[in-house]
Amino acid sequence: MIMQDFGSTVLTCTPSYSLYLAEVAAELGVDIKSFALRVGIMGAEPWSESIRAEIEDKLNIKAIDIYGLSEILGPGVAIECIEEQHGLHIWEDHFIAEIINPDTGEVLPAGEQGELVITTITKEGIPMIRYRTRDITRLITEPCRCGRTHRRLERMSGRTDDMLIIRGVNVFPSQIESVLMKIEGVEPHYQLIIDREENLDSLEVQVEVNEDTFSDAVKTLQDLASRIRKEIKELLGITCKVRLVEPKTIARSEGKAQRVIDQRVK
Amino acid sequence: MKVQQISVFIENIPGRLAEVTKVLGNAGVNIRALSLADTSDFGVLRLIVDKIDRAKEVLAEHQFTVTKTDVVAVEVPDRPLGLAGILQRLDAAGVTVEYLYAFVERMGENAVIIFRFDNVDEAVKVLQGAGIEILPGERIYNL
């Protein structure tokens, strides 16, 4: 409750930790919305617009995305402006940003999606030259409403190495998250379990039931599960199993959320 | 005329049902009637208890998802066609039964059945119109 005592106005942490804070505050009967908090600077894990809306609502703040990597300087390589909350300005006076095709290594024209490659200009200790970040994004070259002229990186849509290949289909956990967050009442806590059954990949999506989605009628719950299944099928073209689980049973992380458990033999 | 029922979401994991009953028992809550609907992954346990608010409170404290629903307790003649007669009247009036379960205890010559209707108020009207005995909550909780 240091935040309350000191009247903190800015919170910086991972998006999942901010939701965890809101949950703990609610459990303690503390109204976190009444805090002096104004802005949340969040990063270090992929998150979606719907999670942003959820954080902004639950903490009564503006949440902005920050990007960085420990090999360069940690968070702070690029950040959204509060005016636009769309696209992270990369400090081009310190970094040269390029987007490449991760398979061929060739540089892509501005505006195309690919892997972000960074060269540091001003770093003296450990300079990085054309460092492959594994992060997938796009460079936004249009001028920004906030007036800054540094180009923007689109919200990271995933990493070249967190992309899952399930039955030959490329799946980013963020896509499944966007499906879940579109459904009213569904918790932002979910887990994907990937396994192999009889030589076929299987995907199980675990979703926590809460007071909004629970019903005494089994049919309502089954309808919820099948709606999630159907929308994932529509978006990704793969069938999955949806398992409704009890609240607070999916492990809360205080750091990066562990969304994916891949049990397939490598 | 309605009876309050609580429903609990239970994952299909060994020991969960025992946990619910233990939590309620330790809080001094007595179960009057119950039914468990099960699917391959989860179950919904529906309960009629003597202390409904206390039950909801302790279950929520133990992180269970709980919801309250209005159901109707009906006295059904304990003889062949006893239930059929009541269902026919409801059917004729277009009232749908979502689910039902029998009460553990009897009331004299009659059995007690708990009904969950799509439209509770309409169902109560139909049953009363047909002279069928509906048991008020207090009698059920304290049976």
Side-chain angles (χ1 to χ4, degrees), chain A residues 248-266:
Chain A
K248 318 249 162 108
T249 49
I250 294 175
R252 300 294 191 263
S253 90
E254 302 190 0
K256 299 194 186 199
Q258 179 71 41
R259 302 280 193 212
V260 179
I261 295 176
D262 197 338
Q263 294 169 330
R264 292 177 291 191
V265 209
K266 297 269 152 129

Side-chain angles (χ1 to χ4, degrees), chain A residues 27 209-212 214-219 221-222 225 241-249, chain B residues 5 7-11 16 37 39 41-42 44 46 56 63-67 69 98-99 116:
Chain A
E27 267 169 32
V209 163
N210 60 13
E211 299 214 340
D212 293 337
F214 179 54
S215 156
D216 64 311
V218 169
K219 192 171 161 289
L221 293 168
Q222 284 175 330
K241 180 176 163 39
V242 174
R243 183 193 286 271
L244 301 178
V245 299
E246 287 176 22
K248 318 249 162 108
T249 49
Chain B
Q5 166 194 267
S7 309
V8 191
F9 181 83
I10 298 182
E11 253 183 83
R16 289 310 279 164
T39 72
D41 294 333
F42 64 85
V44 177
R46 297 137 184 172
K56 194 163 187 276
Q63 316 279 8
F64 283 101
T65 306
V66 185
T67 183
T69 322
E98 302 275 336
Y99 56 78
R116 161 78 151 98

Side-chain angles (χ1 to χ4, degrees), chain A residues 51 61-63 88 112 130 146 155 187 194 196-197 199 222 237 253 255 261-262:
Chain A
I51 293 266
I61 57 174
K62 282 232 171 212
L88 300 91
E112 276 191 39
R130 304 204 72 217
C146 75
R155 174 188 291 279
E187 288 279 333
I194 301 114
R196 194 169 271 268
E197 285 164 14
N199 289 320
Q222 284 175 330
S253 90
I261 295 176
D262 197 338

Side-chain angles (χ1 to χ4, degrees), chain A residues 121-248:
Chain A
I121 309 170
T122 51
K123 215 162 167 266
E124 290 180 10
I126 311 166
M128 291 288 184
I129 298 162
R130 304 204 72 217
Y131 183 72
R132 291 187 62 167
T133 62
R134 307 272 168 209
D135 289 312
I136 296 164
T137 182
R138 192 173 76 83
L139 268 175
I140 303 171
T141 49
E142 293 81 40
C144 182
R145 196 154 59 92
C146 75
R148 291 178 185 89
T149 51
H150 296 300
R151 288 181 300 172
R152 286 171 288 164
L153 302 174
E154 194 175 70
R155 174 188 291 279
M156 303 295 148
S157 58
R159 284 178 59 79
T160 55
D161 50 5
D162 84 358
M163 184 181 80
L164 302 161
I165 301 179
I166 300 171
R167 267 170 264 150
V169 178
N170 295 352
V171 176
F172 288 102
S174 54
Q175 292 175 298
I176 291 173
E177 179 176 310
S178 68
V179 167
L180 294 178
M181 297 305 295
K182 265 199 328 220
I183 301 172
E184 186 139 356
V186 169
E187 288 279 333
H189 304 288
Y190 65 94
Q191 205 156 42
L192 310 178
I193 317 278
I194 301 114
D195 209 338
R196 194 169 271 268
E197 285 164 14
E198 293 168 5
N199 289 320
L200 250 180
D201 296 338
S202 66
L203 168 64
E204 177 177 296
V205 180
Q206 295 189 346
V207 181
E208 284 185 5
V209 163
N210 60 13
E211 299 214 340
D212 293 337
T213 48
F214 179 54
S215 156
D216 64 311
V218 169
K219 192 171 161 289
T220 315
L221 293 168
Q222 284 175 330
D223 284 350
L224 173 70
S226 65
R227 177 164 168 213
I228 296 171
R229 194 160 45 236
K230 220 178 102 203
E231 296 207 2
I232 290 176
K233 167 97 189 177
E234 260 169 37
L235 181 72
L236 299 169
I238 55 168
T239 43
C240 66
K241 180 176 163 39
V242 174
R243 183 193 286 271
L244 301 178
V245 299
E246 287 176 22
K248 318 249 162 108

